Structures are given as structure tokens and as C-alpha cells.
Amino acid sequence: MCSKKRNEKFDPREDVTKQEFNIVFVIDNSNGMHGEKIDAVNNAIRDVIGAIIEEQKCIDNVTIKFSAMTFGNDAKWLYTEPKTAANFKWKNIAVEGDANLSAAFDELARYLCKKENGGQMPDFGNIASFIFLITDAMPTSPDWESHLISLWQNDRFHAAIKFAFTFNEKDDDMRDMLAKFTGNSSWAESAFPTEAFRWKIKQLTIDAANVVSAVASTATIKSPENRDCPCQGR
């Protein structure tokens, strides 16, 4: 949670000229993700970064930034702060250890706080984030659900649009866990076939960036209480 406030209030309707839109990847890099799975993730992130570099050239009222966290035995950020697509240099993720999703949830809750409260979100001008969880199996941390409940108390997580992809879509417990993360079972999908996964995650990100830009230009940003997917119906 935030170092100063457990549940700081998030109002995305700040009166600023240029808003910041954060896209966050939470990526399982436990041993179960070896081979085709982690290769698909590495390629998908590169696809997204390349696409957003091009989209940003046409979007001048919103700065799009990326963050990526991996979780194996521990949760680790690839960068200590959000980066623009042009400055987000992707290095292939290697697999290691177990799937400590509890640590990932705790670190995500801290990261989503304002900078003044120990996190990495801007103090002003922040649009609700887009968060992707990509995983292979149920967490090895048995207390993951209590950590997820705490994460939902973070206003920025509550307001965020959340998607989840799994490489183990036949596991009912897994789909239930991902639905609890996203808040909507229809926003938890299979990552197979991998080519479809790469296309979908890129298209979702492009659509979100353009919808956010269009909404920002009207100065009518959705409040945290309305968490409808910005890409729905597109």
C-alpha cells in the first residue's frame, strides 16, 4: 500500500493540459512459463511497444507510458518508473522459480500510488491505467487471495481496466482467480494460440490509447466508479 496513505483518493479529472496514460504488464516468469509461453510474451510486448511508438505520433494530448513487472520467486520491475514507448527498451524475460503472485499484488499496490506517497503514478493528470496480467498457473503463494483483496482497496487499481491472459485455460480455479483480478470473467482469456494472443494484446492497447485520447480531448474523463472496458464494442 501507499507509504503515507493506505487508500488515497484517485480523481482522474485533473485540470491539466496533457494527461498520462499508464499501461502496466504483470508477467509470470516462473518455471512453468518456459519455452513457447515466455517467447510469446516477449514477442507480444515488443509488438505493443512498436505499435504505440507509431500511435503516439498521432496522439498529442496524452502521454502513453509503460511499466512491466515480473513475478517468480519475487516481484521485480523492469524499470523503477514508467517509461514512454520510445524509452521502454525490452529485454527478453527468462524464467525462474515459483509464481509468487502475493508479492506481485503487494508491489503493484505500492506502485499505483502517487509519487508523493511512495508510488510511481503522477500526482496530477493521470488517466485510469490499463493493466495486463499474464500467467501460466495458480499462484504458489497460498495467501494470494488476501493480498488481492488488499490490492482492490487501492483506488487506482479499482479504477483501472484490467485484462488477464492464461496459458492454462482449462483450469477452472485459474479462470476463477483471473476473474477475481479483473473483476469480470469475460476479461480473462486464453493465451493460446499464441499468435492470436499477440494480436489481441496489441489491438487492445492500440484501441485503449485512441479511446483515452478521444475522451481526454473532451475533458470528460470517466470516474473510478465506471470501470467499463474502453475497447468494448470496438
Side-chain angles (χ1 to χ4, degrees):
M1 285 297 156
C2 311
S3 60
K4 292 184 179 180
K5 297 180 181 179
R6 176 178 174 83
N7 185 22
E8 64 185 21
K9 294 301 180 183
F10 168 51
D11 185 353
R13 295 164 293 183
E14 301 288 358
D15 184 16
V16 294
T17 302
K18 196 166 187 177
Q19 305 260 1
E20 183 174 307
F21 175 45
N22 282 277
I23 300 168
V24 183
F25 297 102
V26 181
I27 303 166
D28 180 354
N29 73 322
S30 64
N31 287 326
M33 287 285 290
H34 72 280
E36 180 186 11
K37 301 170 189 176
I38 202 67
D39 288 346
V41 172
N42 284 319
N43 289 328
I45 304 301
R46 283 198 176 86
D47 292 344
V48 169
I49 298 302
I52 293 301
I53 286 175
E54 294 303 311
E55 293 296 319
Q56 186 71 86
K57 294 176 182 178
C58 304
I59 297 174
D60 58 7
N61 61 339
V62 173
T63 299
I64 305 165
K65 291 190 175 182
F66 288 91
S67 301
M69 179 211 305
T70 60
F71 64 95
N73 289 329
D74 301 300
K76 303 173 184 176
W77 292 102
L78 273 68
Y79 291 98
T80 57
E81 61 182 5
K83 298 284 187 180
T84 62
N87 292 321
F88 192 88
K89 308 303 180 185
W90 187 255
K91 297 180 180 178
N92 279 350
I93 298 172
V95 298
E96 59 177 11
D98 297 323
N100 187 353
L101 196 51
S102 297
F105 288 157
D106 291 348
E107 185 56 28
L108 184 58
R110 181 200 66 80
Y111 195 85
L112 291 176
C113 293
K114 290 182 178 182
K115 289 183 178 179
E116 67 176 17
N117 291 332
Q120 288 300 327
M121 296 296 100
D123 295 331
F124 302 98
N126 184 37
I127 296 172
S129 301
F130 212 63
I131 303 174
F132 289 102
L133 172 62
I134 307 168
T135 187
D136 163 69
M138 287 294 291
T140 54
S141 45
D143 56 350
W144 66 268
E145 194 159 8
S146 64
H147 290 259
L148 179 57
I149 290 171
S150 295
L151 175 58
W152 269 96
Q153 295 174 10
N154 179 295
D155 267 12
R156 279 175 172 74
F157 181 80
H158 202 274
I161 305 301
K162 297 168 282 289
F163 271 90
F165 289 94
T166 175
F167 289 95
N168 189 13
E169 76 279 4
K170 295 181 180 179
D171 187 325
D172 290 339
D173 289 339
M174 163 67 76
R175 295 189 71 86
D176 182 63
M177 184 271 288
L178 296 181
K180 290 177 179 178
F181 176 84
T182 62
N184 188 325
S185 61
S186 65
W187 296 347
E189 300 189 13
S190 172
F192 285 121
T194 55
E195 286 301 315
F197 159 69
R198 288 177 60 180
W199 178 87
K200 184 169 289 187
I201 201 169
K202 180 177 73 172
Q203 199 59 47
L204 284 169
T205 308
I206 292 172
D207 286 350
N210 282 283
V211 170
V212 161
S213 176
V215 173
S217 68
T218 68
T220 307
I221 307 300
K222 290 182 179 180
S223 68
E225 289 73 24
N226 188 340
R227 295 184 297 280
D228 290 338
C229 170
C231 309
Q232 199 165 17
R234 287 177 63 89

